[in-house]
Amino acid sequence: MSRAPNYEFQEWWNKQRDNHLSSSSYDHKSQNPNHTHLTLEISNPTHDQILEKERTRSARQLSWLYILKFQQIAHSFAYLTNAFISILATARRRVSSNQSGDVGPESKRIYRVIKVFLVIVVVLLVFELLAYFKGWHFSPPLVKSEVEDLVEHVYAKWLEIRAVYLAPMLQSLINVCIVLFLVQSVDRMVMVLGCFWIKFRGIKPVAEIEYLDGGENVNVEDYPMVLVQIPMCNEREVYHQSIGAVCVQDWPRERMLVQVLDDSDDLDVQGLIKAEVHKWQQRGVRILYRHRLIRTGYKAGNLKSAMSCDYVKDYEFVAIFDADFQPGPDFLKKTIPYFKGKEDLGLVQTRWSFVNKDENLLTRLQYINLAFHFEVEQQVNGVFINFFGFNGTAGVWRIKALEDCGGWLERTTVEDMDIAVRAHLSGWKFIYLNDVKCLCELPESYEAYKKQQHRWHSGPMQLFRLCFLDIIHSKISLAKKTNLIFLFFLLRKLILPFYSFTLFCIILPLTMFLPEAELPAWVVCYVPGVMSLLNILPAPRSFPFIVPYLLFENTMSVTKFNAMISGLFQLGSSYEWIVTKKLGRSSEADLIAFAEKEAEIPGGSPNMHKSSSESGLAELTKLEMTKNTKKKRRNRLYRKELALAIILLLAAVRSLLSAQGIHFYFLLFQGVTFLVVGLDLIGEQVS
């Protein structure tokens, strides 16, 4: 670091130079007028003077530094105070509005169970605090034949009951959950190692042919007939994205037909979708609009109805896209070639990419989960066993495979997993393309995300009950049957939400009040931390969110456990199919690319583009007007999460009495996370 200039010395130097210059000039001129040399005498300041000036300067600099630091601390404190006050005000408004996000009879049942658990925890905490202030924690009282102090006698009896009866049962449950936890951790570790092996060896599916841009010399007979289906229901924000992206596919028009399968019951949305379809029909795209009057079977019923059309027999493949998905123009050229020469290949699934993954904390945490799902789970299962769960969209099916396994069935809310399992049992193979990505949107509100996760975790349990005997009696190998039953269904769909909820939301708080049962610190902290680190590897930019991710996943275990129970025991809301609401976000680069591709469509004159733009503007204006007539969205309260937040925070207070450091911090942060989620402070905030 360069030294700061010494301005005081410079000023002294200038004065001395002027004085000596005037005197020396006069003496030399008087003695020797022709002499041109100049002699200067410089007197240096003393060492004590220099030290005094340096000391004064250092004190002044330190004073300014401390003042600056104090201002920064005061600014940070004011910012945190304002943020805390704002959060409290938001929480107060939501509590006063009493807009509960818990719906469904089984949700109310589990809430009642949690309330009973909360009452027990409060009573135990009061009892333990009383015992602590009386000093019974240091010298536990014994049960005596003669009762001198009733409270002391009751506490002594309680110590005996929990040591002899309750703690052994709780310890057994802890051991079972630890075993399940370790089995699931080993499964996760094996999947990650399999992914590393795939990357190290460069293993990926290979297509036998490749469709190139041949200009006008393209032989359309080389392109198979492809049916593209876009199922949707009341998705006013995103319907135009998928329709527009599909209609500009780089595929011969006469070899592709687009079906827009609209189940909307909103007449305004129906009109908008019809206008969009008509716009593309005018541009020469082969696209049809289909609407069912009765929405039976939800998405599965919609797809089943569309496949019953007579003209479907003329097509060999069907590509499916949800309303918020935007495939690239070369999607079909990158997926269809893999079917060539593989007559037993039934499905080609592509990866999802997300336009709004950095929108808020909720979307960032969702991205970590889905990045692991596609990068590790789908890729490893696709490479090593040629089977994985169909993601319901951004995939291409061989129509013969769909017909061979019985077509779309309406028996569950996970029709995509259902048809994938039945196709696998019929001997069809799947391929996953990790390099082909299809743009889509993540739910930005906790309400939408929670409903989506409920459907995704209740449906597999419905399906497991229905297809268990089919798996047993199928002709696939014993290894594939074992993978389906024990890994695909039991471990990843049933055991994972069970032990996550039981271990971290029930057992851990109980061990604070039953200290004779011990939950090791490595189960609470270290192993979950390692597993979270493995989960976050496919999304390295999300590493700063590893702790919020771990806490949020434990929080979501309540929803997943509730959904798993409802699906396993056929409770009411397990058959409820709710469309995940999206906001219709698109990246700027994708909009530009779409506009360029749209402009290249043959037969599209400038006047036609102008009229289309004007009609689109009119549709947008109409859309905004209809939006204002809809019921306003608002953030809600989630009672189960709030009740569990209180339980965990009370357990954290109890852990202070026994000085359990790691358990205290985990309970504290986990309780705060439940509180934030219960007040709907994560995700989109609606004013």
Side-chain angles (χ1 to χ4, degrees):
M1 181 180 296
S2 61
R3 186 175 179 181
N6 195 333
Y7 296 106
E8 296 178 357
F9 177 77
Q10 184 69 34
E11 183 180 357
W12 173 84
W13 170 268
N14 291 335
K15 291 181 179 179
Q16 293 295 327
R17 184 187 60 182
D18 295 340
N19 294 335
H20 284 279
L21 181 61
S22 58
S23 60
S24 299
S25 176
Y26 175 80
D27 293 341
H28 280 74
K29 285 182 180 180
S30 61
Q31 296 176 7
N32 188 3
N34 298 323
H35 199 286
T36 60
H37 293 283
L38 177 65
T39 303
L40 295 177
E41 182 180 357
I42 302 175
S43 59
N44 292 326
T46 64
H47 181 67
D48 293 338
Q49 291 176 335
I50 294 176
L51 288 179
E52 184 64 26
K53 291 181 179 179
E54 289 291 340
R55 191 178 298 109
T56 304
R57 190 179 306 112
S58 299
R60 190 183 308 117
Q61 291 173 348
L62 286 175
S63 300
W64 283 108
L65 179 63
Y66 288 140
I67 292 174
L68 180 61
K69 290 292 184 181
F70 178 77
Q71 289 178 342
Q72 293 176 345
I73 294 173
H75 178 73
S76 301
F77 181 76
Y79 174 79
L80 293 175
T81 303
N82 291 335
F84 182 72
I85 293 174
S86 176
I87 291 174
L88 288 180
T90 303
R92 183 184 60 79
R93 287 197 302 270
R94 291 177 187 174
V95 171
S96 60
S97 65
N98 197 24
Q99 291 289 327
S100 175
D102 298 318
V103 294
E106 78 285 349
S107 180
K108 295 180 180 179
R109 291 191 196 99
I110 194 172
Y111 175 61
R112 285 196 291 267
V113 172
I114 293 175
K115 280 200 302 184
V116 172
F117 185 38
L118 175 59
V119 172
I120 294 174
V121 167
V122 171
V123 172
L124 289 177
L125 180 61
V126 172
F127 206 29
E128 293 293 337
L129 288 175
L130 178 62
Y132 182 81
F133 287 114
K134 285 183 172 292
W136 294 338
H137 277 268
F138 305 102
S139 56
L142 300 176
V143 179
K144 302 177 182 178
S145 57
E146 296 181 0
V147 179
E148 298 179 357
D149 186 345
L150 179 61
V151 177
E152 182 178 359
H153 179 77
V154 171
Y155 185 72
K157 197 65 178 177
W158 160 245
L159 292 180
E160 181 181 356
I161 292 173
R162 80 183 191 187
V164 177
Y165 301 103
L166 300 181
M169 291 190 296
L170 181 60
Q171 189 65 55
S172 300
L173 183 59
I174 289 174
N175 296 336
V176 171
C177 287
I178 289 177
V179 171
L180 297 177
F181 178 50
L182 292 178
V183 170
Q184 195 272 336
S185 301
V186 170
D187 174 65
R188 186 61 54 96
M189 182 72 71
V190 171
M191 298 281 283
V192 172
L193 292 176
C195 183
F196 279 136
W197 178 256
I198 292 172
K199 297 295 183 183
F200 177 73
R201 299 298 300 269
I203 302 174
K204 60 175 59 178
V206 179
E208 291 192 5
I209 62 172
E210 183 179 358
Y211 293 110
L212 302 175
D213 296 330
E216 298 179 356
N217 299 323
V218 174
N219 183 10
V220 295
E221 297 299 327
D222 295 335
Y223 292 78
M225 298 288 285
V226 179
L227 179 67
V228 182
Q229 295 178 331
I230 311 175
M232 58 182 65
C233 178
N234 295 328
E235 302 191 66
R236 63 172 63 239
E237 293 84 3
V238 294
Y239 70 92
H240 57 285
Q241 295 179 354
S242 55
I243 295 176
V246 166
C247 288
V248 298
Q249 283 294 305
D250 190 7
W251 198 261
R253 291 192 180 184
E254 58 269 29
R255 312 294 288 180
M256 182 181 76
L257 174 66
V258 181
Q259 285 182 319
V260 178
L261 311 177
D262 182 25
D263 263 1
S264 302
D265 55 10
D266 188 322
L267 296 179
D268 294 327
V269 177
Q270 291 181 29
L272 292 172
I273 297 175
K274 287 179 182 178
E276 184 73 13
V277 170
H278 181 66
K279 180 182 73 174
W280 288 104
Q281 286 175 339
Q282 287 183 324
R283 299 185 181 186
V285 178
R286 298 178 68 233
I287 181 172
L288 299 175
Y289 174 84
R290 283 179 55 86
H291 177 71
R292 298 190 303 161
L293 295 178
I294 302 177
R295 190 192 172 206
T296 57
Y298 303 112
K299 182 180 177 180
N302 199 358
L303 294 171
K304 181 179 180 181
S305 174
M307 294 297 293
S308 64
C309 298
D310 293 336
Y311 53 79
V312 173
K313 65 179 183 295
D314 299 328
Y315 294 84
E316 187 176 358
F317 304 103
V318 55
I320 302 174
F321 301 99
D322 284 348
D324 61 306
F325 277 72
Q326 306 165 53
D330 57 352
F331 181 88
L332 294 179
K333 282 189 173 182
K334 287 183 176 180
T335 53
I336 298 296
Y338 290 91
F339 289 98
K340 183 70 174 179
K342 301 182 181 70
E343 296 301 322
D344 59 346
L345 181 61
L347 168 67
V348 173
Q349 174 70 57
T350 64
R351 181 171 181 165
W352 299 358
S353 61
F354 309 100
V355 67
N356 62 335
K357 63 182 180 181
D358 297 325
E359 185 64 27
N360 55 44
L361 179 59
L362 178 61
T363 58
R364 290 177 185 272
L365 300 179
Q366 290 179 68
Y367 174 67
I368 295 173
N369 259 340
L370 290 172
F372 183 87
H373 170 70
F374 285 105
E375 184 76 26
V376 179
E377 293 177 344
Q378 297 292 76
Q379 188 169 209
V380 170
N381 288 326
V383 168
F384 291 105
I385 60 177
N386 297 119
F387 167 73
F388 46 81
F390 174 46
N391 293 118
T393 177
V396 181
W397 278 93
R398 190 189 296 271
I399 294 181
K400 183 180 177 182
L402 294 179
E403 296 172 346
D404 185 45
C405 65
W408 298 100
L409 298 182
E410 308 165 6
R411 56 183 183 173
T412 72
T413 58
V414 284
E415 72 293 327
D416 44 10
M417 184 182 294
D418 185 3
I419 201 165
V421 170
R422 286 186 283 112
H424 181 56
L425 297 179
S426 300
W428 292 95
K429 295 181 178 179
F430 302 164
I431 281 180
Y432 171 71
L433 303 179
N434 194 53
D435 297 332
V436 182
K437 299 179 181 180
C438 189
L439 195 66
C440 64
E441 185 178 334
L442 291 166
E444 296 182 12
S445 69
Y446 179 69
E447 180 183 12
Y449 178 63
K450 184 174 181 177
K451 291 178 179 177
Q452 180 195 69
Q453 292 300 303
H454 187 279
R455 176 166 55 86
W456 285 4
H457 286 81
S458 65
M461 289 298 97
Q462 302 172 16
L463 181 60
F464 180 64
R465 288 187 303 96
L466 295 171
C467 69
F468 177 74
L469 293 179
D470 295 335
I471 296 174
I472 298 296
H473 297 143
S474 65
K475 298 180 180 180
I476 61 176
S477 65
L478 180 61
K480 291 184 177 180
K481 291 180 181 180
T482 304
N483 172 71
L484 264 179
I485 294 175
F486 292 102
L487 295 181
F488 186 77
F489 279 113
L490 290 181
L491 182 60
R492 297 167 191 162
K493 310 299 181 185
L494 188 149
I495 292 178
L496 179 58
F498 169 77
Y499 89 75
S500 296
F501 174 73
T502 306
L503 195 62
F504 297 109
C505 300
I506 303 298
I507 292 179
L508 180 58
L510 277 179
T511 56
M512 298 299 101
F513 299 97
L514 303 176
E516 293 83 0
E518 182 182 2
L519 185 62
W522 58 268
V523 176
V524 176
C525 183
Y526 302 127
V527 176
V530 173
M531 291 300 104
S532 298
L533 182 62
L534 293 180
N535 280 9
I536 217 165
L537 286 179
R541 288 182 55 209
S542 302
F543 183 78
F545 302 95
I546 184 170
V547 174
Y549 169 74
L550 171 61
L551 298 173
F552 181 69
E553 281 301 293
N554 291 336
T555 305
M556 284 304 301
S557 67
V558 183
T559 299
K560 296 175 182 179
F561 177 81
N562 185 30
M564 182 266 293
I565 293 298
S566 66
L568 192 62
F569 296 102
Q570 298 179 268
L571 300 178
S573 66
S574 61
Y575 292 95
E576 185 180 12
W577 213 104
I578 300 176
V579 177
T580 305
K581 291 298 181 184
K582 306 295 175 60
L583 300 181
R585 299 188 183 276
S586 296
S587 64
E588 184 178 352
D590 293 309
L591 290 175
I592 294 174
F594 173 74
E596 293 175 350
K597 185 66 181 178
E598 188 179 6
E600 295 174 0
I601 296 178
S605 62
N607 291 332
M608 185 177 121
H609 288 302
K610 181 179 179 181
S611 63
S612 299
S613 300
E614 291 174 350
S615 64
L617 182 61
E619 293 168 15
L620 183 61
T621 303
K622 183 179 179 182
L623 175 63
E624 293 299 329
M625 292 177 63
T626 56
K627 277 184 181 180
N628 295 331
T629 62
K630 295 293 174 183
K631 184 179 179 180
K632 292 184 178 180
R633 295 179 293 114
R634 59 178 61 185
N635 294 98
R636 299 179 179 274
L637 291 176
Y638 298 94
R639 296 178 297 176
K640 295 193 299 294
E641 286 80 357
L642 288 175
L644 283 168
I646 298 174
I647 291 173
L648 291 169
L649 293 175
L650 292 177
V653 173
R654 172 62 182 86
S655 69
L656 286 176
L657 304 181
S658 52
Q660 301 189 36
I662 292 180
H663 295 75
F664 166 73
Y665 289 114
F666 184 87
L667 288 166
L668 176 63
F669 292 128
Q670 190 65 70
V672 171
T673 305
F674 267 102
L675 185 63
V676 169
V677 172
L679 293 173
D680 201 4
L681 296 174
I682 188 172
E684 181 191 20
Q685 300 299 301
V686 182
S687 59

